Amino acid sequence: EVQLVESGGGLVQAGGSLRLSCAASGITFDDYAIGWFRQAPGQEREGVSCISSNVGRTYYADSVKGRFTISSDNAMNTVYLQMNNLKPEDTAVYYCAATGSRLVTADLREYDYWGQGTQVIVSS
């Protein structure tokens, strides 16, 4: 059984930082790319960042470039999203997901497995 478990969300002031973790079981990171997505109330889920350690590539949405950093610890089967200089518009539920296509992509349709999400709230 594949499981993705997010952690690290919380309440932070604008300009602050959080580090999200996505712990995976039932899959091997060499065979999957892992993405982070977020969904704010009333909005569609959007891709934030993605990493494919197999091909050594990453993707960042324009809205988070220079502020967020994705990394992978394959030995721990965990992907991290370091979020710095957070803004109120970053407030959302953050989800991690795995795609067996190994592609670095923000297309939700490519992802096979999803976590339950972790809430991030950035106050102004």
Side-chain angles (χ1 to χ4, degrees), residues 35-118:
W36 283 99
F37 295 80
R38 66 187 181 186
Q39 188 166 19
Q43 297 187 20
E44 294 185 352
R45 194 170 298 189
E46 63 174 356
V48 175
S49 184
C50 177
I51 186 167
S52 175
S53 57
N54 182 272
V55 297
R57 291 182 180 175
T58 58
Y59 159 85
Y60 294 96
D62 287 343
S63 59
V64 306
K65 280 181 182 177
R67 300 188 298 122
F68 291 11
T69 303
I70 193 169
S71 61
S72 175
D73 184 339
N74 286 12
M76 297 295 291
N77 253 25
T78 300
V79 169
Y80 303 98
L81 186 68
Q82 177 67 43
M83 307 187 296
N84 298 329
N85 190 22
L86 282 160
K87 304 176 181 181
E89 51 264 43
D90 294 317
T91 295
V93 177
Y94 283 71
Y95 300 88
C96 69
T99 171
S101 69
R102 303 188 191 181
L103 294 175
V104 175
T105 176
D107 187 345
L108 281 69
R109 297 169 296 178
E110 294 287 344
Y111 286 82
D112 307 300
Y113 305 103
W114 291 83
Q116 293 300 307
T118 185

